Amino acid sequence: MMEFPLKTLALSTSGRAVLGLSLGLALSGCAVGPDFKAPEAPAQTVSSSSDAYSYTSTPVATQTEASEGKSGISQKLVVAQDIPAQWWEVFHSEELDTLIRQALTQSPDLASAQAALRQAKENYNAQSGNTLYPNVSANLGAGRDLASAVSTNVPGGELYNLYNASVNVSYTLDIFGANKRELESMQAAVDYQRFQVEAAYLSLTANLVTTAIKEASLRAQIQATEEILQFQAKQLEVMERQLTLGGIPKVSVLEQRNLLAQTRASLPGLEKSLQQTRNQLAVYAGRLPSDTGLPEFHLDSLQLPQELPVSIPSALVRQRPDIRANEALLHQASAQVGVATANQYPQFTLSASYGSAALTPGNLFKKEWSLWSLGAGITQPIFNGGALSAKRRAALAAYDQIDAQYRSNVLSAFQSVADSLQALDFDAKTLKQQVEVEAIAKQTLDLTTQQFNLGAVNSLALLDAKRTYQTARIGLVQAQAARYADTAALFQSLGGGWWNRPDLKDISVKNE
């Protein structure tokens, strides 16, 4: 931006030619540097929906194994089925739905991401106003001056007042697209922050779901451990009576007491994990750990959906907010290459001013006291020690760096989907086996207990049966929880359905 003194500037023939050339180039809309194109999905993933299971090197089962219980239902993978925005509702838990709704209105992490988006938008607006429109300023001034005797031929000089008013206009023509590329870069920054909001939304909801499942798992493990403790305590009473009657040696009673003590010792660790999990759940929900009213979660209050959506691989890169955010960074880096390139070319500036200068306020706006000026300028870098070329090479290197990060992000995204699909298959098989293991262990324990009471087996056999059953019960609970966690992981790895949701309410602006 340039300001010119209030004097008349007559444009020469060459000046008019430069001005005409500048206007012609401005109207042509030239912009140097690369025109950004969104990266295509990996070539081997662009296929028909029938090949949607190409996430893995070997095909995964389209339907999981079934076993007994609510957590053992068979789940069917449905290709190209859209993902609901409130994907967590597939678990049919009112407590979970309520907690997530509350968290979305008070999460500081989500508020932070939204504030960053607002900042990026306003930075774009500011840059847009500076570059797309002429800079217009108005000046109004008054001064009292003493002119010297040399200039006035008045002994001792002459004292006079000077009043001036003017409007100045200046505009830098975007001949080679530096301003256009800069705005393009800032728009990409806005897109980046927008997808960061979506990533924060997905991360928050997924963390709430998986933490609630973890809490439910720990509660079930604690319940199973307490039931085993009750059984072991009753068995100890029986063995102590047998010891009094001389039916068993004291070492058998001591072994039973040791087993009971070991089971009790496992409870504090589980209870500690449960409390820490609830603390984490409260923080995810934007609450203090000391706040009351946080709902409790149990495995039997959750349901597994019978159908699971599987996006085709070619659509994944458009659904994952982290990939879209990285793509926006790549766009920003591409635009910066254009900025660095344009800075190597001439810059054209137009300016004009109109105003008036008078010795009295009454004459200030009279035509005979008017002043105006027009100007055009060109600035061409000639020598700067190679700085501009180095900056362009640096911009190209930055683009290459972000491009590599983008490709790495895509690979990680496909890995997370592949891991989730395989986990659904393998953990369903694991649960089926674990149900069988637990049933056999319970039958074995019941039979061994009867035999021990009849004196047919010794206490070592009974203790082994109890240990086996305890391990099977805990393993069953963990296998049940894994299936719920696998379902949540699949929805998260596919992007969470944010594109089906209306814009989020900005929770970082307090209602007044």
Side-chain angles (χ1 to χ4, degrees):
M1 300 299 179
M2 302 175 64
E3 289 188 6
F4 290 84
L6 298 178
K7 63 180 181 178
T8 302
L9 295 178
L11 289 178
S12 64
T13 302
S14 61
R16 288 193 297 269
V18 169
L19 181 58
L21 175 62
S22 300
L23 289 172
L25 290 173
L27 293 174
S28 68
C30 173
V32 298
D35 292 328
F36 180 75
K37 294 182 179 179
E40 295 182 354
Q44 64 270 27
T45 70
V46 182
S47 56
S48 65
S49 60
S50 61
D51 294 328
Y53 301 112
S54 60
Y55 288 106
T56 59
S57 57
T58 57
V60 295
T62 59
Q63 192 154 354
T64 64
E65 296 275 359
S67 53
E68 295 181 2
K70 288 176 57 178
S71 57
I73 67 170
S74 176
Q75 293 180 299
K76 180 181 179 181
L77 304 179
V78 182
V79 181
Q81 179 174 298
D82 201 9
I83 301 172
Q86 286 76 37
W87 58 268
W88 55 87
E89 293 180 352
V90 300
F91 294 105
H92 297 285
S93 170
E94 182 58 34
E95 294 81 7
L96 183 59
D97 297 346
T98 301
L99 181 63
I100 291 179
R101 284 195 298 268
Q102 293 173 352
L104 291 176
T105 64
Q106 57 193 36
S107 167
D109 293 335
L110 189 56
S112 174
Q114 290 176 326
L117 174 59
R118 293 201 318 277
Q119 180 187 21
K121 287 180 177 178
E122 295 305 332
N123 285 337
Y124 174 84
N125 292 337
Q127 185 69 18
S128 176
N130 285 333
T131 59
L132 294 182
Y133 305 97
N135 185 299
V136 181
S137 62
N139 296 319
L140 181 65
R144 187 170 178 79
D145 298 320
L146 175 64
S148 68
V150 175
S151 61
T152 62
N153 292 322
V154 176
E158 184 178 1
L159 190 64
Y160 68 96
N161 297 326
L162 180 64
Y163 302 90
N164 60 74
S166 66
V167 175
N168 305 302
V169 180
S170 61
Y171 183 63
T172 300
L173 298 176
D174 196 22
I175 304 299
F176 297 102
N179 292 339
K180 177 183 178 182
R181 294 303 188 192
E182 188 63 45
L183 282 177
E184 181 183 348
S185 174
M186 299 194 75
Q187 180 59 58
V190 173
D191 294 338
Y192 170 77
Q193 292 299 341
R194 180 177 294 109
F195 288 115
Q196 286 293 89
V197 170
E198 299 300 346
Y201 173 90
L202 177 59
S203 177
L204 173 63
T205 54
N207 284 337
L208 285 165
V209 172
T210 54
T211 305
I213 292 172
K214 182 180 179 181
E215 177 188 335
S217 173
L218 288 168
R219 288 191 184 279
Q221 292 180 55
I222 290 174
Q223 180 182 357
T225 302
E226 289 175 342
E227 290 175 359
I228 292 171
L229 275 174
Q230 294 176 3
F231 176 80
Q232 290 176 347
K234 291 180 180 179
Q235 189 61 38
L236 178 60
E237 293 177 2
V238 173
M239 296 179 69
E240 285 177 340
R241 287 196 296 269
Q242 290 178 333
L243 174 63
T244 302
L245 298 174
I248 59 172
K250 187 174 182 179
V251 65
S252 297
V253 176
L254 294 176
E255 289 175 344
Q256 177 65 19
R257 289 175 180 172
N258 181 59
L259 179 61
L260 182 61
Q262 289 178 353
T263 305
R264 283 175 177 163
S266 66
L267 265 180
L270 292 172
E271 291 170 344
K272 180 189 75 172
S273 296
L274 175 60
Q275 292 305 315
Q276 291 177 343
T277 300
R278 286 187 61 77
N279 293 342
Q280 183 65 76
L281 197 62
V283 171
Y284 283 145
R287 303 184 184 184
L288 291 172
S290 58
D291 288 354
T292 59
L294 196 70
E296 295 184 356
F297 296 96
H298 303 269
L299 287 179
D300 56 9
S301 67
L302 302 173
Q303 295 183 29
L304 280 177
Q306 293 184 341
E307 291 187 350
L308 292 175
V310 181
S311 305
I312 59 175
S314 58
L316 182 65
V317 295
R318 311 311 301 166
Q319 296 179 182
R320 292 268 301 213
D322 55 337
I323 294 179
R324 296 293 296 275
N326 213 304
E327 179 186 314
L329 289 179
L330 191 63
H331 189 176
Q332 187 178 28
S334 172
Q336 286 300 317
V337 173
V339 172
T341 303
N343 287 338
Q344 296 178 309
Y345 291 87
Q347 295 184 2
F348 299 80
T349 303
L350 301 178
S351 64
S353 66
Y354 180 83
S356 177
L359 297 177
T360 63
N363 293 329
L364 187 59
F365 296 103
K366 291 183 178 181
K367 184 177 180 180
E368 57 267 25
W369 295 91
S370 298
L371 299 172
W372 61 269
S373 68
L374 291 174
I378 301 176
T379 302
Q380 168 63 56
I382 296 176
F383 178 77
N384 49 44
L388 295 179
S389 297
K391 287 183 178 180
R392 185 176 185 277
R393 292 194 298 270
L396 288 169
Y399 179 89
D400 291 340
Q401 177 193 11
I402 298 175
D403 179 60
Q405 291 175 350
Y406 175 86
R407 289 185 282 112
S408 176
N409 196 4
V410 170
L411 292 175
S412 297
F414 276 83
Q415 177 190 348
S416 65
V417 176
D419 290 345
S420 298
L421 291 173
Q422 291 171 333
L424 286 166
D425 183 26
F426 291 126
D427 286 345
K429 294 177 180 178
T430 299
L431 177 60
K432 183 177 182 179
Q433 297 299 320
Q434 197 63 47
V435 168
E436 183 178 354
V437 168
E438 193 271 346
I440 294 174
K442 182 65 170 63
Q443 294 174 3
T444 301
L445 177 59
D446 291 343
L447 179 59
T448 305
T449 301
Q450 294 176 5
Q451 292 176 334
F452 176 79
N453 293 337
L454 295 174
V457 297
N458 58 28
S459 60
L460 292 178
L462 179 61
L463 293 173
D464 287 340
K466 291 176 181 178
R467 290 190 183 96
T468 300
Y469 176 65
Q470 181 181 11
T471 302
R473 281 292 306 276
I474 300 300
L476 177 60
V477 169
Q478 293 172 342
Q480 290 171 335
R483 294 209 65 196
Y484 293 104
D486 294 341
T487 299
L490 178 62
F491 280 101
Q492 183 181 13
S493 66
L494 293 175
W498 57 268
W499 53 92
N500 289 322
R501 189 203 67 235
D503 290 339
L504 288 170
K505 180 181 178 182
D506 195 334
I507 64 174
S508 55
V509 178
K510 294 182 179 179
N511 295 323
E512 296 182 357

